[in-house]
């Protein structure tokens, strides 16, 4: 039976009885993170959707240097973007039918009655998001381009006046909203005004394992590879004052580290037989078109590898 996370760190602890269980857990966890960063393993693939609601107009009252905006806001407006002109603000919270609080002070002219628009300009990724594989637009049968930088968008459309069907995701910054704090955020461009959905595939960051959890993917059948990496860390630890580590041996640590890396190479070959990551990362940019080239265009034109 495959060994669990708890089995592995307790086995490491048997080699280093002067260490604490927490330290042994850290060695195994850190080793798994190093292993996870080695490649895009088959088990780190996930899928989700960017769901966009239709934009709506709202008449508001605004005040220069204030985060408060008065108007007929609804509960669903919280977390969406709002603007009169220029780059949008994010709505932090709403008092239904009365007002909204923005993520920064309003920089425009004070007005008692002003037309404005609410829409979904920013897409916040899942907590475990590690990078895009593909972002799809099923309505138009194409992929969105996911590698536009904020610098490029600032040159193309500095006032963010372009609306319509999005065909790019521009890098933005990590979310500052309490509900999604620290999560990766992208800017849809052009800004969508109609309701839409954009399914996407992505690479997941490794999860923190509990004692009873098995290791993910190909590591499930080869937990010994993770154990070797953890033992390398254990052999590099000299111990504590008055409690030296008898397992401390830098030559042994080097040998265990080499065994760990060889094991990762073997598992990478095994994992490649499940998902062709090496081939995929080399050729997919040339084979699959992005917006505004759709699937019908691809069917009517032959492209070489």
């Amino acid at each position: 039976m495959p060994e669990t996370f708890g089995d592995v760190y307790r086995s490491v602890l048997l080699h280093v009885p002067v260490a604490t269980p927490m330290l042994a857990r850290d060695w195994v966890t850190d080793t798994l993170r190093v292993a996870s960063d080695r490649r895009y393993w088959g088990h780190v693939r996930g899928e989700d959707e960017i769901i966009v609601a239709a934009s709506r107009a709202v008449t508001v009252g605004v005040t220069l240097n204030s985060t408060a905006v008065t108007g007929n806001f609804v509960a669903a407006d919280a977390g969406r973007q709002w603007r009169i002109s220029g780059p949008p603000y994010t709505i932090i919270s709403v008092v239904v039918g009365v007002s909204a609080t923005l993520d920064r002070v309003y920089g425009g002219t004070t007005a008692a009655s002003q037309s404005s628009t609410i829409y979904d300009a920013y897409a916040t990724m899942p907590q475990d998001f590690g990078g895009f594989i593909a972002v799809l637009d099923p309505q138009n049968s194409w992929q969105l381009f996911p590698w536009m930088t904020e610098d490029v968008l600032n040159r193309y459309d500095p006032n963010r006046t372009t609306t319509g069907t999005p065909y790019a995701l521009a890098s933005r910054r990590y979310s500052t909203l309490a509900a999604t704090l620290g999560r990766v955020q992208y800017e849809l461009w052009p800004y969508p005004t109609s309701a839409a959905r954009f399914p996407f595939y992505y690479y997941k960051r490794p999860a923190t394992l509990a004692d009873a959890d098995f290791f993910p993917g190909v590591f499930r059948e080869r937990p010994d590879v993770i154990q070797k990496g953890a033992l390398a860390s254990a052999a590099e630890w000299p111990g504590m004052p008055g409690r030296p580590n008898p397992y401390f041996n830098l030559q042994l640590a080097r040998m265990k580290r080499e065994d760990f890396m060889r094991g990762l190479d073997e598992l990478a070959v095994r994992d490649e037989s499940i998902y062709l990551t090496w081939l995929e990362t080399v050729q997919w940019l040339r084979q699959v078109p992005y917006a505004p080239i759709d699937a019908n265009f691809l069917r009517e034109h032959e492209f070489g590898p």
Side-chain angles (χ1 to χ4, degrees):
M1 177 181 292
E3 295 178 86
T4 65
F5 173 82
D7 293 333
V8 171
Y9 89 74
R10 283 189 286 268
S11 178
V12 171
L13 199 58
L14 290 175
H15 289 78
V16 194
V18 296
T20 63
M22 183 174 293
L23 184 56
R25 288 176 61 93
D26 287 345
W27 287 332
V28 176
T29 298
D30 290 345
T31 300
L32 182 58
R33 287 173 180 162
V34 170
S36 298
D37 290 341
R38 182 75 172 175
R39 68 179 253 122
Y40 283 135
W41 301 92
H43 66 268
V44 300
R45 295 169 177 242
E47 55 188 291
D48 206 327
E49 289 190 0
I50 299 169
I51 299 177
V52 174
S55 64
R56 70 184 194 88
V58 58
T59 300
V60 297
V62 289
T63 303
L64 176 64
N65 291 328
S66 174
T67 59
V69 179
T70 60
N72 187 25
F73 292 93
V74 299
D77 291 336
R80 303 187 76 189
Q81 283 63 58
W82 167 92
R83 76 164 181 177
I84 294 174
S85 63
Y89 299 78
T90 295
I91 299 172
I92 298 293
S93 61
V94 166
V95 178
V96 175
V98 178
S99 65
T101 301
L102 307 179
D103 62 334
R104 62 186 190 277
V105 297
Y106 177 67
T109 304
T110 298
S113 180
Q114 178 71 59
S115 297
S116 68
T117 307
I118 297 173
Y119 45 77
D120 294 317
Y122 305 148
T124 303
M125 297 297 104
Q127 184 68 46
D128 61 355
F129 180 80
F132 283 121
I133 297 174
V135 186
L136 312 178
D137 182 344
Q139 182 175 350
N140 293 291
S141 299
W142 62 38
Q143 290 191 74
L144 274 67
F145 186 76
W147 296 299
M148 179 180 286
T149 65
E150 190 175 33
D151 175 67
V152 170
L153 187 52
N154 288 339
R155 286 185 279 121
Y156 282 177
D157 189 9
N159 289 320
R160 303 302 195 268
T161 58
T162 307
T163 59
T165 301
Y167 65 80
L169 284 164
S171 56
R172 191 174 179 270
R173 56 189 57 85
Y174 290 92
S175 173
T176 57
L177 296 179
T180 57
L181 186 65
R183 286 163 60 175
V184 177
Q185 200 170 66
Y186 290 87
E187 190 169 358
L188 288 160
W189 190 82
Y191 289 163
T193 56
S194 301
R197 52 183 286 267
F198 303 98
F200 63 90
Y201 304 108
Y202 71 103
Y203 294 113
K204 299 188 292 185
R205 295 200 311 269
T208 300
L209 301 182
D211 282 18
D213 290 338
F214 291 104
F215 290 93
V218 292
F219 298 120
R220 182 184 176 96
E221 302 298 329
R222 291 291 308 277
D224 60 293
V225 174
I226 302 300
Q227 181 173 313
K228 290 173 183 176
L231 286 173
S233 296
E236 294 170 341
W237 181 62
M240 298 177 289
R243 297 186 64 188
N245 176 18
Y247 196 73
F248 175 61
N249 185 316
L250 295 182
Q251 183 176 358
L252 175 62
R254 184 166 55 251
M255 292 173 57
K256 290 293 184 182
R257 190 76 65 194
E258 290 172 354
D259 288 345
F260 167 60
M261 298 308 294
R262 277 195 296 269
L264 286 185
D265 289 340
E266 293 171 3
L267 289 178
V269 174
R270 171 75 181 91
D271 193 60
E272 191 66 15
S273 67
I274 301 173
Y275 290 114
L276 300 178
T277 303
W278 296 332
L279 184 64
E280 178 183 77
T281 54
V282 170
Q283 294 192 356
W284 77 308
L285 288 177
R286 293 180 296 169
Q287 289 181 336
V288 184
Y290 293 89
I293 300 175
D294 63 7
N296 290 327
F297 181 90
L298 182 63
R299 295 185 188 103
E300 296 168 1
H301 296 76
E302 181 176 357
F303 289 89

